[in-house]
Amino acid sequence: MSIAGILPDTEITDLAARGAINCDLPFVDTQVQPASLDLRLGHTAYRLRASFLPGRSRTVQDVLGSGLVMHELDLTGGAVLETGCVYLVPLMETLALNGDVSAAMNPKSSTGRIDVFTRVIADQATTFDHAPAGYTGPLYVEISPRTFSILARPGDRLVQARFRRGLRQATREITVSVDLEGFDGKVGYRARRHSGLIDLAKIGQHDPRDFWEEIDVRQGRMILDPGEFYILASREPVIIPLDEAAEMAPIAPEIGEFRAHYAGFFDPGFGVAEAGGTGGRAVLEVRGRDVPFFLEHSQAAARLVYEPMAARPARPYGMQGSNYQAQKLKLAKYFSG
């Protein structure tokens, strides 16, 4: 009898072997994570007039053919996706799900930390970031850089998919708060406006001083300015046991004064001592909204919603060269230092 829950790396590989995940190219190293699969950009980006959902009766291509596309970009040699614009890129991976296995998608941690907003769209979709059980067809990613323009190429990985057998079942919830007492004399980073380009192929090669302003310790409090983007960290260490995965969700959507994350999925093994994760914090990707907002140390910022794994992963998070295991306050992998 198959066990319900989030599928681990071994079962994701098995899905591909059975044709439930398809691609003309084989998976690359680290593409299969402990409980998720990185999805790769294809060769074309469509510059859109607006975001959309196709609805139950249409495919994505039906909508693209209705006048929504402004122009096309060839990503083969690299193309700039500019801030304030909306793009749609077909993903290399397609799905042919069967049984009761569905897929949910979210931005990778490195994507959220550079303020690139992404959502995955499937044919006949009425919601973003979801492919229901039985779905057969392509996947597309909507990309909207908010602060930094990016240089993208085929094969770049901005989003990931996790596969769930059975219905979603939350086992517990934990509230995380913001740390404003500081790490090595700073509490966070504020994105600089009108910065240069982030090349997604250049890992660890961008000078953070060109893109970020450090926020010094200021007696455990700060003011979030409307429209500005910040990197902060949780006060509490986060631990994701090997038999669970977790997703970060807003603590109180009705407040409306700041958004606490873009990328919110935690693989099993994050923060686990045996996997080298002692003391790992949740990094909070925070955007101020509407009016200035007074933020204090220990203020609740988000919820971690835990789900059971269908089985433990063969390689827990941190066992395959993770960029963020045991992190405190940490920028995306694209930056040096």
Side-chain angles (χ1 to χ4, degrees), residues 62 98 116 181 224 254:
D62 289 338
N98 50 34
V116 174
E181 291 188 341
L224 301 177
E254 68 275 9

Side-chain angles (χ1 to χ4, degrees), residues 120-178:
V120 173
I121 307 174
D123 286 344
Q124 288 89 38
T126 57
T127 59
F128 293 105
D129 292 328
H130 179 68
Y135 176 76
T136 296
L139 298 172
Y140 303 79
V141 60
E142 176 189 312
I143 304 171
S144 182
R146 304 294 303 278
T147 298
F148 308 123
S149 295
I150 59 175
L151 180 61
R153 300 173 180 83
D156 285 337
R157 294 178 273 170
L158 293 176
V159 293
Q160 58 191 172
R162 57 193 183 277
F163 299 89
R164 179 184 292 110
R165 182 182 295 115
L167 299 177
R168 182 177 183 179
Q169 47 183 319
T171 55
R172 56 193 172 113
E173 293 186 8
I174 295 176
T175 299
V176 296
S177 62
V178 64

Side-chain angles (χ1 to χ4, degrees), residues 237-239 269-281 317 325-328:
V238 172
I239 298 175
F270 181 91
V272 173
E274 294 81 357
T278 302
R281 310 295 181 93
Y317 189 86
Q325 185 68 300
Q327 68 182 2
K328 298 296 189 293

Side-chain angles (χ1 to χ4, degrees), residues 182-310:
F183 303 85
D184 299 323
K186 57 180 176 290
V187 300
Y189 299 90
R190 174 174 171 163
R192 297 184 185 276
R193 291 288 184 178
H194 313 296
S195 297
L197 187 70
I198 294 179
D199 187 335
L200 298 180
K202 294 184 176 179
I203 307 301
Q205 298 183 47
H206 301 79
D207 189 334
R209 295 172 296 183
D210 295 334
F211 297 86
W212 300 96
E213 172 190 353
E214 292 186 357
I215 304 172
D216 296 332
V217 173
R218 295 290 177 88
Q219 299 179 338
R221 60 190 67 180
M222 64 179 291
I223 293 177
L224 301 177
D225 289 322
E228 298 297 322
F229 182 71
Y230 303 85
I231 295 293
L232 305 173
S234 71
R235 183 175 63 89
E236 302 83 4
V238 172
I239 298 175
I240 312 298
L242 300 188
D243 58 356
E244 290 183 300
E247 185 172 11
M248 190 179 290
I251 184 65
E254 68 275 9
I255 293 177
E257 303 304 342
F258 67 95
R259 177 193 174 105
H261 70 93
Y262 288 126
F265 183 65
F266 290 81
D267 280 298
F270 181 91
V272 173
E274 294 81 357
T278 302
R281 310 295 181 93
V283 164
L284 305 173
E285 302 133 7
V286 176
R287 173 169 290 279
R289 292 183 175 177
D290 299 331
V291 298
F293 189 76
F294 190 71
L295 194 63
E296 296 187 271
H297 178 70
S298 298
Q299 185 165 338
R303 293 175 295 126
L304 277 179
V305 182
Y306 287 76
E307 289 188 67
M309 294 288 296

